[in-house]
């Protein structure tokens, strides 16, 4: 599994948390089923938004990236997200990116616009099959999400940047391609191919990455390797809203995991507030949702502290059943609720049940009671 990581120019907000908790549940379900899981995640530690933030703050971009990446990892640890086997920075992958772009040059699928290099999306016959959008919609979204469809000199408005020549007052690296830095999509491709190879089981991220990021990354990988498909499944988490809009750094309507933790909220309640929504759904964060999650974790803790409770085997079976059906976490929470309410009511005499439920919540849902 490869899941696209953060661009570390601000703290972890609930939209981030929802995505990474969702893929954590997938990893837990796979582990519970007896699979060996190779999970790779990147951090986009060089990108335009990070450089813009550095200019705004009058701070070195590297210091911001290091600080926010560390805070992200602290937040993930608090939320009990199992770390990926490899966590690779884009800067670390620059030599690899350069080698893949050189291979694209050899294949004749990269061309220059001024001194920048672009990948020709028409070189992949499967281009468009990830997000399944028509050309007009792709062009519109490309312009909104970091693309440059109107740049003069491009052969196709949808062709994407793979190498950017050095700009004044911006970081750049010396490579066989010249002095510059990678485009966005090719960074993830290089990291995924180096550590996982082609045909990974799941390429994951937020739904806003389906196009252009996952679409273009898949085409780059398929062309440079000559193999198809890049991934068997493209899995996208829904967007989390706040104050009537999708949480976004540009809008500033963010609820931060670190701030909730600093305010004394239990990370397990934060995690339960996320798991109460199906990962593919768009939904809105509310204080009431967090309050309900705090009540839920209190109920579960009281129930698993009981000396005995109802037989837990059916509950465990139900949890596994719904998680294997597209990670239906709300149904898994309902199953635990039913057991917990019965246990608190004094129903059942199985002395092993409370510990079994606590272990199941820990292993399958990542909720430590």
């Amino acid at each position: 599994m490869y899941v696209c990581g953060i661009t570390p120019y601000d703290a972890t907000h609930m939209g981030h948390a929802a995505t990474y908790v969702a893929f954590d549940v997938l990893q837990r379900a796979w582990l519970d089923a007896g699979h060996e899981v190779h999970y790779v995640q990147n951090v986009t530690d060089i990108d335009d938004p990070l450089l813009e933030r550095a200019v705004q703050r009058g701070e070195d971009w590297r210091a911001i990236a290091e600080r926010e990446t560390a805070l992200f990892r602290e937040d993930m640890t608090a939320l009990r997200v199992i770390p990926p086997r490899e966590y690779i920075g884009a800067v670390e992958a620059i030599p690899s990116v350069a080698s893949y772009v050189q291979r694209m040059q050899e294949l004749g699928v990269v061309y220059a616009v001024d001194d920048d290099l672009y990948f020709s999306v028409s070189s992949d016959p499967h281009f468009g099959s990830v997000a399944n959008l028509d050309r007009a919609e792709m062009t519109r979204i490309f312009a909104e999400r970091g693309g440059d469809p109107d740049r003069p000199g491009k052969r196709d408005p949808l062709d994407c940047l793979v190498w950017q020549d050095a700009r004044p007052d911006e970081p750049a690296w010396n490579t066989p391609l010249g002095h510059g830095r990678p485009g966005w999509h090719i960074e993830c491709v290089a990291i995924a191919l180096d550590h996982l190879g082609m045909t990974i089981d799941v390429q994951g991220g937020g739904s806003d990455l389906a196009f252009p990021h996952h679409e273009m990354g898949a085409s780059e990988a398929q062309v440079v390797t000559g193999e198809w498909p890049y991934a068997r499944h493209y899995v996208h988490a829904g967007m989390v809203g706040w104050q009537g809009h999708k949480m976004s750094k540009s809008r500033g309507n963010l609820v931060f995991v670190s701030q909730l933790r600093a305010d004394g909220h239990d990370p397990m309640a934060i995690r339960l507030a996320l798991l109460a929504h199906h990962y593919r759904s768009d939904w809105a964060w509310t204080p009431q949702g967090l309050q309900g999650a705090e009540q839920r974790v209190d109920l579960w803790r009281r129930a698993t502290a009981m000396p005995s409770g109802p037989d837990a085997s059916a509950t465990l079976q139900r949890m596994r059943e719904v998680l294997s059906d597209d990670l239906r976490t709300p149904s898994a929470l309902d199953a635990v609720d039913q057991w917990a309410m019965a246990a608190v009511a004094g129903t059942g005499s199985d002395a092993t049940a409370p510990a079994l439920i606590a272990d199941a919540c820990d292993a399958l849902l990542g909720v430590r009671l």
Side-chain angles (χ1 to χ4, degrees):
M1 175 166 64
Y2 184 93
V3 179
C4 296
I6 61 165
T7 300
Y9 64 95
D10 213 336
T12 316
H13 61 68
M14 301 314 300
H16 292 138
T19 294
Y20 300 115
V21 165
F23 289 103
D24 182 60
V25 173
L26 175 57
Q27 178 167 209
R28 289 171 181 276
W30 280 349
L31 292 170
D32 181 62
H35 300 299
E36 180 182 355
V37 181
H38 190 170
Y39 178 13
V40 177
Q41 188 179 131
N42 75 302
V43 55
T44 308
D45 54 358
I46 180 64
D47 200 14
D48 290 340
L50 175 60
L51 298 179
E52 291 165 7
R53 183 59 56 88
V55 171
Q56 290 170 6
R57 293 182 177 176
E59 193 174 358
D60 188 284
W61 64 273
R62 287 162 293 199
I64 296 175
E66 290 174 6
R67 181 177 67 247
E68 299 300 342
T69 299
L71 180 55
F72 170 75
R73 299 182 79 163
E74 288 175 15
D75 287 338
M76 292 300 100
T77 299
L79 293 175
R80 302 207 60 248
V81 171
I82 300 171
R85 185 184 300 184
E86 281 104 13
Y87 189 59
I88 311 295
V91 170
E92 182 182 348
I94 285 174
S96 179
V97 168
S99 68
Y100 284 112
V101 175
Q102 284 184 293
R103 174 60 180 153
M104 290 176 172
Q105 289 177 314
E106 294 167 2
L107 293 169
V109 299
V110 164
Y111 63 93
V113 177
D114 300 322
D115 291 319
D116 299 333
L117 299 178
Y118 280 82
F119 168 69
S120 177
V121 295
S122 64
S123 62
D124 177 25
H126 300 282
F127 177 73
S129 62
V130 173
N132 294 304
L133 302 174
D134 63 33
R135 187 173 181 84
E137 188 71 356
M138 285 194 285
T139 303
R140 182 187 68 79
I141 295 174
F142 190 39
E144 293 175 355
R145 297 178 181 169
D148 54 359
D150 298 325
R151 181 173 183 179
K154 289 177 63 174
R155 297 174 185 172
D156 184 319
L158 294 175
D159 289 347
C160 57
L161 185 73
V162 290
W163 187 260
Q164 176 178 294
D165 193 51
R167 303 289 198 264
D169 302 318
E170 290 189 5
W173 288 261
N174 289 319
T175 75
L177 299 172
H179 193 57
R181 60 183 171 95
W184 176 25
H185 318 301
I186 192 64
E187 294 169 345
C188 279
V189 168
I191 293 168
L193 290 180
D194 284 351
H195 295 277
L196 294 171
M198 280 294 282
T199 314
I200 57 181
D201 290 301
V202 164
Q203 159 76 84
S207 59
D208 55 348
L209 295 183
F211 192 89
H213 190 50
H214 290 171
E215 188 78 67
M216 293 182 171
S219 288
E220 290 170 349
Q222 286 154 186
V223 169
V224 80
T225 64
E227 300 178 36
W228 182 87
Y230 176 51
R232 292 186 175 90
H233 302 282
Y234 295 89
V235 181
H236 298 114
M239 297 289 101
V240 180
W242 172 244
Q243 298 174 331
H245 298 277
K246 183 196 89 169
M247 282 192 198
S248 67
K249 294 174 181 177
S250 59
R251 188 177 291 274
N253 61 328
L254 302 176
V255 176
F256 295 114
V257 174
S258 55
Q259 187 60 56
L260 290 176
R261 293 197 292 121
D263 290 343
H265 292 285
D266 186 340
M268 294 301 92
I270 299 171
R271 185 172 174 116
L272 278 175
L274 301 172
L275 296 176
H277 304 271
H278 188 254
Y279 79 91
R280 281 193 288 108
S281 301
D282 294 338
W283 56 280
W285 176 265
T286 65
Q288 293 79 12
L290 179 57
Q291 183 180 21
E294 290 170 336
Q295 293 169 348
R296 174 174 258 151
V297 76
D298 178 67
L299 169 66
W300 290 11
R301 283 177 173 149
R302 285 189 289 120
T304 54
M306 299 288 287
S308 63
D311 178 77
S313 57
T315 302
L316 177 57
Q317 181 179 347
R318 176 64 176 167
M319 293 172 71
R320 285 174 165 154
E321 174 186 307
V322 296
L323 291 178
S324 69
D325 181 16
D326 198 23
L327 303 181
R328 287 167 48 203
T329 54
S331 297
L333 304 193
D334 289 343
V336 179
D337 282 346
Q338 292 174 18
W339 180 90
M341 287 186 287
V344 169
T347 305
S349 57
D350 186 345
T352 66
L356 179 58
I357 291 295
D359 287 346
C361 290
D362 189 359
L364 295 173
L365 299 175
V367 176
R368 176 171 286 167
L369 301 173

